[in-house]
Structures are given as structure tokens and as C-alpha cells.
Amino acid sequence: MVPAGTQPGSIMVSPKLDVMDECITLLDSVLVKLSKLLRRMSTVLDNMEALMFEAERLKGFQWCHEEPLWVSWPIEKFVLSLSELTTPYHRSLALHKELVDILRSHTVSFEDSRKAINQWVEQPFLRDDGWDAKWEDLCEAEVEKWDTR
């Protein structure tokens, strides 16, 4: 603390604000990467839907809707179930954007910053509905040679 009527001997606030700005820039770049990955995921799902329709055209309705692709699930069940996977990632990305906006303010309190960072780490939308929670074990059991990838 600086005594009343005196000036600090060194600049204290400006370097800290510069560090905060650099960190926010890094978080913005993470958000860009996450957005790009989500677009890629959506593209993969679109391609899977197109593949299913093409397989239905070539192999027939019954093959797509009833014949197991590997062990027990037909291609239709994979495609429909995987399409549900993007929703938690969309929600997670929206939450991350909100958290960065909270942290972007130079007036945010330490406690609010700590809460935002903890919420980022927790991944609340992906904990129960993300790939690891729902798909890794299923694909290991269902997809031939999954564990050799």
C-alpha cells in the first residue's frame, strides 16, 4: 500500500493489465481453435449422413436400418446417435465464450475470475455428454479394430 500523498516507486498496474490482455488473447485463440474443431465435427457428421443415404441407395433400406455395421448397431443408429454428440460441444463452446467475456473485463473481481476459470476446467456440458462419457467404450465394443487406432 502506498502512503497517502506519495506516488509509488514503480509502475504497478500497467504491467499486470498487459499480462491480462496477453492471456485473453491466448484464450481468444483457444476459442478460435475450438470453433474450428466444432465445424470439423459438424462436417464429419454431415458426411456420415451423406454416406448413410448413399449406402441406402446402393445397399437398400434394410441394410442401413437393420444390418449391423460391425457388431450390433446398423449405420443408421451410428449416424443418428453421433448427431446428438454435437449439442454438448456447442453448449460448451458457448459457455467458454461467456467465460472469456467475463475475464476480458479489467474490473472483474478475483472471486469472479476464479469462478470462471474453475467452470472452464470443470467442462460441465462435456463431463456427462461428451465423447469420453458416452462413446469411447461403445466404439471399443462395437467398432472392429477400434483399440488399434
Side-chain angles (χ1 to χ4, degrees):
M1 197 80 168
V2 178
T6 63
Q7 295 292 320
S10 64
I11 300 173
M12 296 176 6
V13 176
S14 182
K16 301 294 183 195
L17 292 177
D18 290 341
V19 169
M20 284 178 65
D21 288 337
E22 288 174 20
C23 291
I24 292 299
T25 300
L26 290 173
L27 288 174
D28 284 335
S29 70
V30 168
L31 291 177
V32 167
K33 290 175 185 176
L34 289 174
S35 295
K36 186 176 181 181
L37 288 171
L38 187 56
R39 282 192 305 274
R40 284 182 180 172
M41 183 185 287
S42 296
T43 300
V44 168
L45 291 174
D46 290 344
N47 290 338
M48 287 191 67
E49 288 176 4
L51 175 70
M52 185 185 80
F53 290 125
E54 185 66 16
E56 187 176 279
R57 187 180 69 78
L58 294 173
K59 297 258 190 180
F61 180 86
Q62 183 176 1
W63 187 88
C64 283
H65 300 272
E66 297 173 13
E67 294 292 322
L69 190 57
W70 284 284
V71 178
S72 63
W73 278 24
I75 193 171
E76 176 196 37
K77 188 165 183 174
F78 273 106
V79 171
L80 293 177
S81 298
L82 282 172
S83 65
E84 297 170 3
L85 187 62
T86 58
T87 302
Y89 287 94
H90 278 286
R91 289 180 181 150
S92 182
L93 181 59
L95 172 65
H96 284 76
K97 288 177 180 179
E98 288 176 24
L99 296 174
V100 170
D101 286 341
I102 289 169
L103 296 171
R104 191 178 312 278
S105 169
H106 291 299
T107 61
V108 66
S109 69
F110 174 79
E111 190 61 31
D112 289 342
S113 296
R114 191 171 65 86
K115 286 179 186 176
I117 292 168
N118 286 338
Q119 199 169 11
W120 181 296
V121 171
E122 287 174 15
Q123 300 284 334
F125 295 109
L126 301 181
R127 182 180 44 238
D128 297 328
D129 294 323
W131 177 267
D132 290 337
K134 290 195 172 186
W135 285 93
E136 195 63 36
D137 291 338
L138 172 78
C139 287
E140 190 172 317
E142 193 67 36
V143 178
E144 187 177 309
K145 297 182 182 179
W146 181 259
D147 56 352
T148 61
R149 60 186 161 97

